[in-house]
Amino acid sequence: MRRPEPVLPHVWRDDTRTRHPQVTHVEHVARHDGVSGRWPEWAPALLVERLGDRGITGPWSHQVTAADLARSGRDVIIATGTASGKSLAFLMPAVEAVDAGGTVLYLSPTKALSRDQLRTLTDLRLPGLRAAVYDGDTPPGERTWVREHGNYVLTNPDMLHHGMLPRHEAWRRFLKRLRYVIVDEAHLYRGVFGSHVAQILRRLRRVCARHRAEPVFVLASATSGSPQESAGRLTGLPVTAVTEDGSPRPGMSVALVEPEFTDLTGEHGAPVRRTAPSQAAEMLADLVREGVRTLVFVRSRQGAELVALAAQRQLEPDLARRVAAYRGGYLPAERRRLEEALRTGEILGLASTNALELGVDITGLDAVIIAGWPGTRASLWQQAGRAGRGDDAALAVFVARDDPLDTYLVHHPEAIFGQTVETAVLDPENPHILGPHLCAAAQEFPVTEEDFALFGPGTRERLDELVHRKFLRKRPRGWFWTSNERASDLADIRGSGGSPVQIVDISTGGLLGEIDEAAAHGTVHPGAVYLHQGDTYLVEDLDLDEGVALVGPAEPAYSTWARDTTDITVRSVLREEEWDGGAVLRFGEVEVVRRVVGYLKRDVRTGAVLGEQSLDLPERTLRTRAVWWTLPPEAEERLRKEDVGLLGAAHAAEHAAIGILPLLATCDRWDIGGVSTATGRVEVFVYDGHEGGAGFAERGYSAAREWLTATRQAIADCACEEGCPSCIQSPKCGNGNEPLSKAGALRMLDEVLGAAGRDAR
């Protein structure tokens, strides 16, 4: 029997709004019965039989369309909703290819998804299908077997980059028979990571051609904006998009929640809302008590731990044991155990980072809570779609953080519902990305002029630079790698910013996990509070030279938050335009120097600042791209006559603009940074937080009027009087959120926007 259309749990209904008075909107998404197709005549009979044994008696229309396109030799992207059966669309041609003696390479952005796909393939019990995972967790003894015998190899971009392409001769047997390359969860390949993967796929195509293979690329993606364009940018090939989703969809209620203001005050007396993790933990406990299988998505590793721990503390012991956290940094065996426990129902509530946003087969979930905007509408629907698989109705709840964008969205549901999802932003020609991959390609075999069309128009310039820097040597037969070291080590494809730092428990000597070096400055600095599976630790020492952070068990009543300073220098202006009123908008290359100088201690219950400690860590220099605007002298004079503090106004506008840019670009505020100045000329910078840039600032430049208009509206709509984290305060401000002026930011944005801005007042 099907459940009725979903409703909010009884503790959140209108008659009990004293408990949850902050539900701002509930959107009911209608169910869809689906459009059936027929098995293609060429579909392997045994595969059809095995799928029938699993209850799959026929395909949906989009699965047949995509499978037929791939089999005909067309590169294709399937961009349909969560749980729409994209795997079946590429499984049909892949199994047929293996039956005919070919091979298949499957790429996913995470190890968990590859393991889940392997489980599905193994359960089908297809003779002759030798599926195997080849990633960093694969034991050395198994790797040789996979290379020599595997015909359906599941891996990730990292292993392809470091382990397979550099050793392509050892993979000759596999590569020369390669028929399909499957790129799963393609919507996640954006920004710096996506740009690196784009170059890895170009290197893969080059290596395949070396072994006389030309595989068909089949990409699977959540619903996305311009999937054909994004897939073409990612692969460098013309790609056909399949976007008409023929799968059935359960009904879903999507609730928008804004945590209420507390009686407490934060920095400079600003009102403090209840935190999104705290609100999500209470909701998780409510749902677990009702027997609702629930997944909570949290924006950070620490947040996932806090949500699980807080929910456990609100539950009776027998239920508390059925709540856990899941995040990156756990050891492989621990991740596998948690995935299986959620599948079987042993775990009833799980707090996770976006590691479980992907298509891992976790059936039977009833509800999803999303604590904080996940960065894009595509990710929001991908996460929400984890609930209500099959015929069961679903509940999704978006809980706003104390953040300008989150606050804007819960009060403007039209910005979420009925809108198209974003187009992925990536820039594979970024010289900081292209250069290392040209080195890797040259080590695989010499780069020649024939490769210029593959790698992009900046290839010759980058090669000349690499020769000048003595990374490559130019010879008559092409460009050669000059070192005995691995060229692939030059490319940090996840944009992490350095080698991993191992986190060691000094009380046991055990390894708790690892974190990249750039993030270590702000996460495992001396004195930082570190959480792991509900246990709390204090960092006693961070040795960046050795790549080790030593932590000890502790139970402080506070969390920690790193503070840094930032200086910016313009290196070149690439584009500029003058607006009505005289404000000038620019886009160009900048150098940013950042240094973590201390950390705040915040009350774990309220977020109130308890104190600050200084730190002495090395500075980090970033060469990237930025968008910035400059006020004309006459506008500055008008603001001064109105007693507007220019630095406070610029600083507040900077914070709000950073918070709102993710509405228009596929990023979140942690992918970008900002600097504001009022010495000489008033200037506000927003920059990409990745070496060489990631395309986010460029997107801000191209959509600047829409972006800054929404920024002004978000500040004006906030109910606070002087400014709060929901509008102009930033959790990562290196200056302690001062000076800030809410009224000044509104007037300054009026001047920047010219007549259009003044009309908005």
Side-chain angles (χ1 to χ4, degrees), residues 137-158:
D137 294 341
T138 305
E142 292 182 17
R143 296 187 181 189
T144 301
W145 185 93
V146 176
R147 283 196 303 271
E148 295 180 355
H149 302 288
N151 54 21
Y152 197 121
V153 174
L154 304 100
T155 188
N156 51 54
D158 312 74

Side-chain angles (χ1 to χ4, degrees), residues 481-606:
W481 174 244
T482 60
S483 172
N484 292 324
E485 302 297 323
R486 290 197 319 176
S488 64
D489 288 340
L490 295 174
D492 179 14
I493 76 168
R494 301 272 177 173
S496 57
S499 302
V501 171
Q502 294 186 322
I503 302 166
V504 177
D505 180 356
I506 57 175
S507 67
T508 64
L511 176 65
L512 297 180
E514 61 182 33
I515 191 170
D516 62 79
E517 192 266 341
H521 287 235
T523 304
V524 289
H525 56 74
V529 175
Y530 179 75
L531 296 178
H532 182 83
Q533 276 291 37
D535 295 324
T536 310
Y537 300 84
L538 276 178
V539 179
E540 300 196 6
D541 185 45
L542 171 62
D543 190 330
L544 293 171
D545 293 330
E546 296 296 326
V548 175
L550 301 178
V551 305
E555 295 185 2
Y558 59 86
S559 60
T560 51
W561 203 277
R563 299 277 288 273
D564 60 32
T565 60
T566 306
D567 293 312
I568 194 165
T569 303
V570 176
R571 299 177 62 225
S572 68
V573 176
L574 301 177
R575 282 188 273 167
E576 69 175 61
E577 63 179 72
E578 184 173 338
W579 285 2
D580 295 340
V584 179
L585 182 75
R586 294 183 175 92
F587 168 71
E589 298 175 326
V590 298
E591 182 175 275
V592 182
V593 178
R594 298 182 62 194
R595 183 181 180 191
V596 174
V597 295
Y599 63 94
L600 298 177
K601 294 181 178 180
R602 294 182 181 271
D603 187 290
V604 294
R605 297 172 297 107
T606 66

Side-chain angles (χ1 to χ4, degrees), residues 295-477:
L295 179 61
V296 182
F297 285 106
V298 191
R299 298 294 296 145
S300 68
R301 295 179 174 189
Q302 183 174 357
E305 299 279 3
L306 285 170
V307 167
L309 183 61
Q312 289 167 350
R313 288 173 174 168
Q314 296 176 51
L315 291 167
E316 300 72 24
D318 60 327
L319 288 177
R321 286 190 291 269
R322 301 182 69 185
V323 173
Y326 180 103
R327 60 171 176 79
Y330 285 177
L331 300 178
E334 196 170 12
R335 293 198 303 269
R336 303 290 103 77
R337 181 184 63 78
L338 288 168
E339 291 160 17
E340 184 62 23
L342 185 60
R343 260 189 297 271
T344 61
E346 176 187 346
I347 289 177
L348 197 56
L350 190 69
S352 172
T353 60
N354 65 356
L356 282 180
E357 174 183 324
L358 311 181
V360 178
D361 184 16
I362 301 170
T363 58
L365 294 179
D366 303 304
V368 165
I369 300 172
I370 302 166
W373 183 245
T376 64
R377 285 183 288 268
S379 287
L380 178 80
W381 291 114
Q382 184 79 351
Q383 292 181 1
R386 303 300 280 153
R389 292 182 180 236
D391 291 333
D392 289 346
L395 171 67
V397 182
F398 165 51
V399 182
R401 291 172 298 172
D402 221 356
D403 175 271
L405 179 55
D406 289 38
T407 303
Y408 177 85
L409 290 170
V410 294
H411 290 288
H412 294 84
E414 70 279 2
I416 298 176
F417 305 108
Q419 296 286 330
T420 58
V421 296
E422 304 84 353
T423 299
V425 174
L426 63 154
D427 181 17
E429 280 81 41
N430 177 335
H432 294 275
I433 290 170
L434 176 58
H437 287 285
L438 288 173
C439 290
Q443 187 174 38
E444 288 150 12
F445 53 93
V447 174
T448 68
E449 291 188 2
E450 293 179 357
D451 297 319
F452 288 7
L454 180 67
F455 288 112
T459 301
R460 180 178 286 280
E461 183 181 353
R462 296 280 74 74
L463 288 171
D464 291 344
E465 179 186 340
L466 292 167
V467 169
H468 177 73
R469 296 171 61 191
K470 301 187 185 309
F471 284 104
L472 300 180
R473 180 175 293 125
K474 176 68 170 71
R475 292 177 177 170
R477 292 190 297 116

Side-chain angles (χ1 to χ4, degrees), residues 54-381:
R54 296 164 61 91
I56 302 173
T57 56
W60 303 110
S61 57
H62 67 281
Q63 295 170 326
V64 177
T65 300
D68 280 337
L69 285 167
R71 186 178 184 268
S72 71
R74 301 271 293 278
D75 300 297
V76 61
I77 179 169
I78 319 153
T80 54
T82 310
S84 60
K86 292 183 283 288
S87 297
L88 178 57
F90 58 70
L91 187 61
M92 286 187 278
V95 170
E96 188 205 25
V98 168
D99 287 347
T103 59
V104 175
L105 180 66
Y106 170 93
L107 291 175
S108 78
T110 68
K111 296 175 182 178
L113 185 52
S114 290
R115 300 281 169 173
D116 191 74
Q117 284 286 318
L118 177 63
R119 186 181 301 107
T120 299
L121 292 167
T122 303
D123 289 347
L124 289 172
R125 296 176 291 109
L126 296 172
L129 180 65
R130 298 185 298 276
V133 168
Y134 191 85
D135 63 19
D137 294 341
T138 305
E142 292 182 17
R143 296 187 181 189
T144 301
W145 185 93
V146 176
R147 283 196 303 271
E148 295 180 355
H149 302 288
N151 54 21
Y152 197 121
V153 174
L154 304 100
T155 188
N156 51 54
D158 312 74
M159 197 62 170
L160 180 60
H161 169 61
H162 288 295
M164 297 178 70
L165 292 177
R167 302 192 62 202
H168 63 91
E169 290 293 345
W171 286 86
R172 177 189 295 270
R173 182 205 65 84
F174 179 86
L175 290 171
K176 71 181 182 181
R177 296 187 289 124
L178 186 60
R179 290 282 308 280
Y180 294 102
V181 176
I182 298 163
V183 183
D184 208 353
E185 304 294 351
H187 64 285
L188 293 182
Y189 297 122
R190 60 181 187 258
V192 167
F193 181 41
S195 301
H196 277 294
V197 173
Q199 289 295 352
I200 292 169
L201 294 181
R202 285 157 174 76
R203 285 167 47 210
L204 173 62
R205 289 171 51 205
R206 179 174 178 262
V207 163
C208 286
R210 175 86 164 187
H211 295 284
R212 294 181 171 82
E214 189 178 357
V216 172
F217 281 76
V218 184
L219 298 90
S221 169
T223 303
S224 63
S226 305
Q228 186 170 356
E229 176 187 339
S230 300
R233 191 87 171 129
L234 186 62
T235 61
L237 294 164
V239 178
T240 301
V242 176
T243 58
E244 194 69 32
D245 191 341
S247 64
R249 312 297 301 165
M252 176 179 286
S253 292
V254 184
L256 306 184
V257 170
E258 181 180 38
E260 67 272 25
F261 281 117
T262 66
D263 294 331
L264 303 169
T265 57
E267 289 181 291
H268 315 301
V272 175
R273 290 190 186 277
R274 189 176 184 188
T275 66
S278 171
Q279 184 74 72
E282 181 179 284
M283 290 181 161
L284 175 60
D286 288 341
L287 291 166
V288 167
R289 286 192 191 95
E290 294 194 9
V292 178
R293 292 178 62 180
T294 305
L295 179 61
V296 182
F297 285 106
V298 191
R299 298 294 296 145
S300 68
R301 295 179 174 189
Q302 183 174 357
E305 299 279 3
L306 285 170
V307 167
L309 183 61
Q312 289 167 350
R313 288 173 174 168
Q314 296 176 51
L315 291 167
E316 300 72 24
D318 60 327
L319 288 177
R321 286 190 291 269
R322 301 182 69 185
V323 173
Y326 180 103
R327 60 171 176 79
Y330 285 177
L331 300 178
E334 196 170 12
R335 293 198 303 269
R336 303 290 103 77
R337 181 184 63 78
L338 288 168
E339 291 160 17
E340 184 62 23
L342 185 60
R343 260 189 297 271
T344 61
E346 176 187 346
I347 289 177
L348 197 56
L350 190 69
S352 172
T353 60
N354 65 356
L356 282 180
E357 174 183 324
L358 311 181
V360 178
D361 184 16
I362 301 170
T363 58
L365 294 179
D366 303 304
V368 165
I369 300 172
I370 302 166
W373 183 245
T376 64
R377 285 183 288 268
S379 287
L380 178 80
W381 291 114

